[in-house]
Amino acid sequence: VADYPLYGTIANINAFAIGAALIKPDIKVVLKWSSQKNVDWRGEFDWEGIPVISGPDFIKPGSEEREYGLYYTKDGEFVRLAAPIWQWGKYYELIIRTVLKGTYSAQLPRADQAINYWYGMAAGVVDVILSKKLSYYSDKLISILRREIIGGDLLPFEGELHDQEGNAHSSTQTVLTSDEIIRMDWLNDNIIGEIPPSWKLSESSQKTIEVSGVKEAVE
């Protein structure tokens, strides 16, 4: 379940779907939007028999909801399986250091720029925490994936990629650029769902996507 169809959000959805397919090639990811009008996404997931849900990355300030990260829910049982950890202090420290060095730029990274601000695992800004209820095999797998990501040997948007219509967006020998990733307006071929047009979203959501919504969402 995603909130708004914004640039960047689509990349997160596609990365999740691609990662899931690496583990189970025939897997399908059902996509729902919490900002869509007259839609009970919780009820729809339950009716469709989908117990494992990837929700928002973190809790909204002041919210009592527990539906964030990757979690399992069925027959009243709620178990969080994994969740991202964001080290915002580390992130802002890195940004401030680039400002002091005079290398800061608010623009998206270009091929001729030496640095960008998409700090992740390698910079110690993002990590993942796993539930103790998961198998130790899951711990081993995450350790391998974490090591490969930090070393730059695992890139979610490397190699052949196809959208829901079967159109290729990358070849076996290429990696999507940062600009191509942030501006994604298509869904990976193993996703069941859509990027909703603005008229399907709540009024408050429509105002949000007017600023940075993907083109399908604002048509």
Side-chain angles (χ1 to χ4, degrees):
V1 58
D3 45 15
Y4 307 108
L6 305 175
Y7 286 113
T9 298
I10 306 302
N12 289 341
I13 294 169
N14 283 336
F16 178 85
I18 291 168
L22 291 178
I23 306 301
K24 192 175 188 295
D26 62 344
I27 201 167
K28 300 296 182 183
V29 175
V30 178
L31 173 62
K32 308 288 184 183
W33 297 92
S34 61
S35 58
Q36 196 163 339
K37 292 184 293 187
N38 304 317
V39 170
D40 176 15
W41 60 266
R42 295 178 183 86
E44 290 186 1
F45 277 142
D46 185 58
W47 183 80
E48 294 169 8
I50 300 172
V52 179
I53 301 173
S54 176
D57 287 339
F58 44 80
I59 301 176
K60 295 180 181 178
S63 174
E64 296 182 357
E65 294 182 357
R66 299 190 300 162
E67 296 164 326
Y68 72 94
L70 184 71
Y71 58 91
Y72 173 95
T73 177
K74 189 174 183 180
D75 299 329
E77 181 185 14
F78 181 96
V79 178
R80 181 162 298 104
L81 303 176
I85 301 173
W86 302 82
Q87 302 291 352
W88 292 110
K90 180 66 174 180
Y91 176 79
Y92 291 122
E93 176 189 344
L94 292 170
I95 292 293
I96 291 172
R97 288 185 183 278
T98 63
V99 172
L100 295 177
K101 292 179 181 179
T103 59
Y104 177 80
S105 170
Q107 302 299 317
L108 281 172
R110 301 190 307 270
D112 59 341
Q113 289 179 318
I115 189 170
N116 66 60
Y117 310 103
W118 292 23
Y119 296 120
M121 285 187 172
V125 171
V126 181
D127 205 344
V128 62
I129 185 171
L130 300 181
S131 169
K132 293 182 179 179
K133 294 187 177 183
L134 288 175
S135 164
Y136 74 92
Y137 284 113
S138 296
D139 282 320
K140 293 177 68 173
L141 176 60
I142 290 297
S143 296
I144 293 170
L145 296 177
R146 181 190 285 112
R147 184 167 61 247
E148 295 296 301
I149 290 173
I150 291 175
D153 297 317
L154 176 60
L155 303 172
F157 301 112
E158 178 181 23
E160 193 170 353
L161 300 171
H162 295 269
D163 62 26
Q164 292 171 315
E165 285 72 42
N167 302 311
H169 288 267
S170 181
S171 71
T172 56
Q173 303 298 320
T174 60
V175 180
L176 294 186
T177 65
S178 297
D179 189 67
E180 289 172 326
I181 294 171
I182 199 66
R183 297 182 186 279
M184 278 182 175
D185 56 6
W186 52 272
L187 295 174
N188 202 58
D189 58 3
N190 65 331
I191 295 176
I192 300 173
E194 65 169 357
I195 301 174
S198 61
W199 59 268
K200 288 188 176 183
L201 305 177
S202 65
E203 184 176 348
S204 60
S205 300
Q206 291 180 29
K207 294 179 180 179
T208 300
I209 66 169
E210 283 178 2
V211 178
S212 56
V214 299
K215 66 180 182 181
E216 278 82 358
V218 297
E219 287 179 351

